[in-house]
């Protein structure tokens, strides 16, 4: 480019001096400012149209005068119902008082003068059908009337105390039956009277055999109802029962302060060893 044209030439012409301006880059750069201006105009127009549209829509929307309706909400009070309490049953009615028994006063006779006698004793015929007491009382004849059950102040009828069967055999007692002389004397009795060779004589194999014998010590101390609880055989149970039958009387078991019948279990061990 000539020197006198440099100052008056455009920067773009200086850059593309001597280059192919028909390629397209020259034309794109030349029109760059126009494209930017056109894009800004289009964008502004679209934004202006959107703003105008929103204003028109707000004008066409029905107005509620800016008032907001507020409704008062009241919560219902919830009360928990209490479960009805079960009342205790009424106390049983008080039984009627037992009828009064006819009684005749009779005290040991005292010898005094006739004029000093204040109340003569009842006749013997009257005493036959009346109950004798220290005071006289009118009432019905005593024909074995049973007294009523005792009431425990509304807590219930007190049952009559049942008497245990005198022949009952206890398995557990407060004080166990014992051999007279103690356990040591009982052990010596068994050792002296038992035939330890019984299983050997009957062909038992080597080993240790423990038999259990149950018997009853009666309330009078005697022994009865002897029976084996094991079955090892070879005559061991029979030998143990034979010796227990020979035992003298025992001291009986005690329950509730009285002698009772009670079970007793006795283990006896036989040992068979090789020669």
């Amino acid at each position: 480019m000539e020197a006198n044209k440099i100052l008056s030439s455009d920067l773009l012409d200086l850059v593309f001096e001597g280059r192919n301006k028909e390629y397209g880059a020259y034309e794109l750069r030349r029109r760059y400012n126009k494209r930017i201006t056109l894009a800004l105009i289009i964008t502004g127009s679209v934004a202006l149209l959107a703003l105008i549209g929103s204003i028109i829509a707000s004008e066409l929307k029905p107005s509620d005068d800016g008032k907001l309706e507020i409704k008062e909400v009241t919560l219902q009070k919830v009360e928990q119902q209490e479960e009805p309490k079960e009342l205790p049953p009424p106390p049983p009615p008080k039984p009627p008082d037992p009828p009064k028994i006819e009684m005749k006063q009779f005290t040991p006779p005292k010898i005094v003068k006739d004029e000093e006698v204040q109340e003569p004793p009842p006749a013997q015929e009257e005493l036959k059908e009346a109950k004798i007491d220290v005071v006289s009382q009118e009432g019905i004849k005593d024909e074995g009337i049973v007294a009523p059950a005792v009431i425990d102040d509304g807590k219930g009828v007190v049952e009559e105390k049942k008497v245990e069967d005198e022949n009952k055999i206890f398995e557990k007692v407060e004080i166990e039956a014992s051999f007279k002389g103690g356990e040591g004397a009982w052990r010596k009795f068994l050792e002296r009277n038992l035939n330890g060779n019984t299983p050997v004589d009957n062909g038992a194999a080597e080993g240790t055999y423990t038999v259990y014998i149950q018997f009853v010590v009666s309330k009078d101390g005697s022994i009865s109802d002897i029976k084996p609880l094991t079955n090892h055989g070879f005559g061991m149970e029979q030998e143990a029962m034979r010796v227990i039958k020979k035992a003298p009387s025992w001291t009986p078991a005690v329950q509730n302060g009285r002698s009772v019948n009670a079970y007793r279990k006795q283990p006896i061990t036989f040992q068979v060893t090789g020669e």
Side-chain angles (χ1 to χ4, degrees):
M1 181 177 287
E2 296 178 1
N4 57 351
K5 293 182 180 181
I6 292 176
L7 297 176
S8 60
S9 297
D10 187 74
L11 178 62
L12 187 62
D13 293 333
L14 295 176
V15 172
F16 280 88
E17 177 67 23
R19 297 182 180 182
N20 185 10
K21 295 182 179 181
E22 301 296 332
Y23 180 70
Y26 175 79
E27 187 66 24
L28 289 175
R29 292 191 179 187
R30 187 174 183 83
R31 297 182 179 181
Y32 177 75
N33 292 333
K34 291 181 180 181
R35 290 199 305 272
I36 291 297
T37 303
L38 181 61
L40 292 175
I41 292 172
I42 294 173
T43 303
S45 300
V46 173
L48 182 60
L49 290 175
L51 179 60
I52 294 172
S54 63
I55 294 172
I56 294 173
S58 61
E59 291 294 335
L60 296 176
K61 184 179 179 181
S63 176
D64 55 359
D65 299 332
K67 294 181 181 180
L68 179 63
E69 184 179 359
I70 300 176
K71 294 183 179 181
E72 183 179 357
V73 179
T74 304
L75 296 177
Q76 183 179 2
K77 185 179 180 181
V78 180
E79 295 182 356
Q80 186 176 2
Q81 296 181 352
E82 296 182 358
E83 296 182 359
K85 296 182 179 179
E86 295 183 1
L87 298 177
K94 185 178 180 181
D97 294 333
K100 293 183 178 181
I101 305 299
E102 180 183 1
M103 295 185 296
K104 292 294 183 180
Q105 181 182 11
F106 183 80
T107 56
K110 184 178 179 181
I111 300 174
V112 296
K113 295 179 180 181
D114 292 343
E115 58 271 12
E116 295 180 0
V117 176
Q118 297 178 356
E119 294 182 5
Q124 293 296 323
E125 295 297 327
E126 296 179 359
L127 295 177
K128 289 181 180 180
E129 298 181 356
K131 190 174 181 180
I132 298 174
D133 205 338
V134 295
V135 294
S136 295
Q137 176 180 280
E138 294 182 358
I140 63 175
K141 304 293 184 182
D142 183 10
E143 298 177 351
I145 297 175
V146 180
V150 179
I151 303 298
D152 188 14
D153 297 334
K155 298 179 182 177
V157 178
V158 178
E159 295 183 358
E160 183 182 357
K161 203 169 184 180
K162 296 182 180 179
V163 180
E164 293 180 345
D165 184 7
E166 293 293 333
N167 297 322
K168 178 181 178 180
I169 303 176
F170 289 82
E171 294 185 359
K172 293 182 179 181
V173 291
E174 295 173 354
I175 302 177
E176 296 282 350
S178 60
F179 186 75
K180 294 179 179 179
E183 290 295 326
W186 174 240
R187 191 180 304 109
K188 289 181 180 179
F189 173 82
L190 295 176
E191 291 173 354
R192 285 197 306 266
N193 293 276
L194 274 171
N195 181 9
N197 293 325
T198 298
V200 178
D201 297 340
N202 289 280
E206 294 184 15
T208 301
Y209 304 88
T210 300
V211 301
Y212 285 87
I213 306 298
Q214 177 180 278
F215 56 93
V216 175
V217 179
S218 302
K219 56 186 176 181
D220 60 358
S222 61
I223 293 177
S224 62
D225 296 338
I226 305 172
K227 65 178 181 180
L229 300 179
T230 56
N231 188 22
H232 293 300
F234 304 103
M236 289 182 284
E237 281 81 9
Q238 288 75 13
E239 175 63 15
M241 292 170 61
R242 180 190 68 81
V243 174
I244 292 175
K245 286 180 182 179
K246 293 174 57 178
S249 62
W250 284 45
T251 301
V254 177
Q255 180 71 15
N256 294 330
R258 61 187 181 92
S259 299
V260 294
N261 306 322
Y263 286 108
R264 169 86 182 202
K265 294 179 183 178
Q266 180 62 51
I268 298 176
T269 301
F270 293 88
Q271 190 170 8
V272 180
T273 58
E275 296 180 358

